[in-house]
Amino acid sequence: MSDALLSDRQEWVGTWWIPQDPTRRVPGVLTFDPKVGAELRLIGGWDHSVEIPVGDGSTIMTNRSRSWPILLGAASDGRPMTLLDARFVHAKTSHNQWNTSDGPDVLHLAPQTVMVGCHLGEADAVFVAGAATIENLTSWSDRIGIDGHRTRRGDGKPGGDLTIARLEPLVVKSGNLTIKLHHLIAQPRIREVRAERIADVKEHTSIEFVSAEPQALAFYTDLLGSIADLVSLSALKPSGLVTLRVYLPAQPERYPAGHPLGHARPEVQVFQRLVVKARPDDEAEPARNFLLTLRDRPFEDLLPLWLDVREKFAAARSMILGLHYVTDGYLESRLVTAVSAAESMHRALDPKPPIPQEEFKELRKQILAVDPAWKTWLAERFNDHTNVPTLRERLLELAERVGPAGAAAVADIPAWATTAKNARNTIAHAGAAKGDFDRLHAVVETTSAVVILNLLYELGVPKERLLTVVREHPRLSFAAELAQEAFGRT
């Protein structure tokens, strides 16, 4: 893969300026480190202090520092660059600190986003497509272009065949979006060493979103990040972005008629510090450990459905994947997150109220008439928000709606629901968890499993398959073992 990777350190030497003052260009070095993000170290710079004007024409110097929504640059190789949301880090000034008209001698900034290949203006909805490569996406796609097998010939000597096939992209439309799954094979690389000749060939899969109307950068980073979430959910392992690119409209006016680049979309590489740090050279997740792949649901069905599911259950999705992205943390916070994810999931299903609305209104009317002195107090406690399922009822329904897999994941559904409800409420209202560590840990793992099963169910995974993954997937089968010890009937 020849792209600059989000997992690698990058460096650009160039000159940088503020869009409002393009004549004042400052030399400096921009670096990107996947662990700490981007840093721009300028030799010189701009006034960074925040000043407050007062009525007599003077200003008050504050200890606060400015930030720059957009900075532009030109790398030494001529590539245009845009930095977004550059925040002050450090400055050094040898002259009078109150005379800032010339700017500091040294200024260090931390841009949140680096774009290589464009100068972004105020009207930033200019990108027609976005694409990314993602860890485990190639395995998840279940598409193989490089295949082979080993044989043993009749004379007993080993043999074998290697086949290389270029696969057409998978394409589906969803609203104003066209989604493409590309399969790419690099040209074979042959090199000779003193002992032997070595041939390497690589293939990988990338995802692309094309919009009917130009969009801002965040539109594509959100969509591409959602595919990383889908692969992470499918593997129950964090899968990070390896490369991130957006595309500008083709510019045929810049080239002679018939020039091959006339219809090519200019590519812009994007670098951002991400929660999941990609490790693209690590071993891929084994195919048997995926809960969901394109073998289970075809691309043209799964991708539009996922875009709906990830939006409808956004809070539950974020919380439950956060437990897998950030595995460290206090047990209490993880328990609250897991149970809150389940509650949010059930709310998004828009269940019917426990009491029909007309009956509830009549009941409320009778309650409020009991004692006029308590009317205000009662009215605050008996309103439309009261006529909703309890937390325990929500948990029960979530476990039951996925069929036998729910019972397999939590062992005893009523006991699990009661324990999870009590543990969450004790932390939320009393400020501390009660119960032994193993039982509370079981609540976290089993509740997380129930939310995952419900997300898969919303994606069309059959109940029979859900039961299989509970029994066979390492993480879910482990949760089931914890449930049997913590909640199982004796």
Side-chain angles (χ1 to χ4, degrees), residues 109-397:
L109 305 176
Q112 303 306 296
T113 301
V114 174
M115 293 193 290
V116 183
C118 75
H119 280 161
L120 181 67
E122 294 296 330
D124 57 355
V126 295
F127 300 109
V128 296
T133 52
I134 301 168
E135 291 179 307
N136 292 315
L137 183 65
T138 301
S139 300
W140 176 84
S141 71
D142 196 46
R143 308 185 79 207
I144 300 175
I146 302 174
D147 200 6
H149 60 274
R150 301 172 66 181
T151 61
R152 186 173 296 280
R153 302 187 315 204
D155 57 7
K157 294 182 178 180
D161 295 309
L162 177 68
T163 60
I164 301 175
R166 300 188 181 278
L167 307 179
E168 292 298 317
L170 301 178
V171 181
V172 64
K173 287 187 175 292
S174 178
N176 290 328
L177 286 173
T178 300
I179 313 169
K180 301 180 180 181
L181 192 71
H182 296 281
H183 177 266
L184 305 171
I185 295 183
Q187 291 292 334
R189 177 175 175 264
I190 300 175
R191 57 191 177 91
E192 293 189 9
V193 297
R194 293 187 178 187
E196 58 191 350
R197 180 181 297 115
I198 304 170
D200 294 327
V201 58
K202 298 180 180 181
E203 67 174 330
H204 73 271
T205 301
S206 68
I207 189 79
E208 179 184 11
F209 289 91
V210 182
S211 175
E213 299 291 335
Q215 302 289 343
L217 173 67
F219 177 83
Y220 293 106
T221 55
D222 177 61
L223 286 172
L224 296 168
S226 78
I227 302 303
D229 285 347
L230 174 59
V231 178
S232 298
L233 174 67
S234 299
L236 284 191
K237 290 284 183 67
S239 296
L241 295 173
V242 180
T243 64
L244 180 57
R245 305 176 300 277
V246 288
Y247 295 90
L248 296 164
Q251 301 171 351
E253 67 280 359
R254 298 183 56 184
Y255 302 93
H259 194 284
L261 295 180
H263 297 287
R265 302 169 305 181
E267 179 182 285
V268 176
Q269 293 180 332
V270 181
F271 297 89
Q272 293 177 330
R273 182 188 177 196
L274 303 173
V275 173
V276 179
K277 310 298 187 295
R279 300 195 300 260
D281 293 328
D282 286 5
E283 290 291 327
E285 190 67 18
R288 65 181 179 276
N289 285 354
F290 281 97
L291 307 178
L292 172 68
T293 70
L294 292 188
R295 177 178 295 182
D296 301 304
R297 293 299 307 269
F299 179 80
E300 57 272 20
D301 294 338
L302 180 58
L303 265 293
L305 185 57
W306 169 247
L307 295 183
D308 290 338
V309 167
R310 66 116 191 184
E311 184 69 25
K312 181 177 180 180
F313 303 100
R317 167 182 57 86
S318 297
M319 285 187 280
I320 215 65
L321 287 174
L323 289 176
H324 290 272
Y325 287 164
V326 183
T327 55
D328 297 328
Y330 291 106
L331 177 61
E332 291 87 349
S333 63
R334 291 177 60 80
L335 190 150
V336 170
T337 300
V339 178
S340 297
E343 183 176 20
S344 174
M345 177 96 198
H346 189 267
R347 286 183 183 276
L349 292 171
D350 196 20
K352 294 181 179 180
I355 304 174
Q357 198 61 26
E358 290 302 319
E359 292 183 24
F360 179 78
K361 288 181 179 179
E362 181 60 30
L363 177 62
R364 182 175 184 271
K365 182 179 178 181
Q366 295 175 17
I367 291 173
L368 296 182
V370 170
D371 189 340
W374 292 95
K375 184 173 183 179
T376 300
W377 186 87
L378 290 168
E380 291 177 349
R381 284 154 179 79
F382 291 91
N383 51 45
D384 289 341
H385 299 294
T386 310
N387 190 23
V388 296
T390 65
L391 175 57
R392 184 176 183 275
E393 290 170 340
R394 294 183 188 279
L395 295 174
L396 289 172
E397 288 187 22

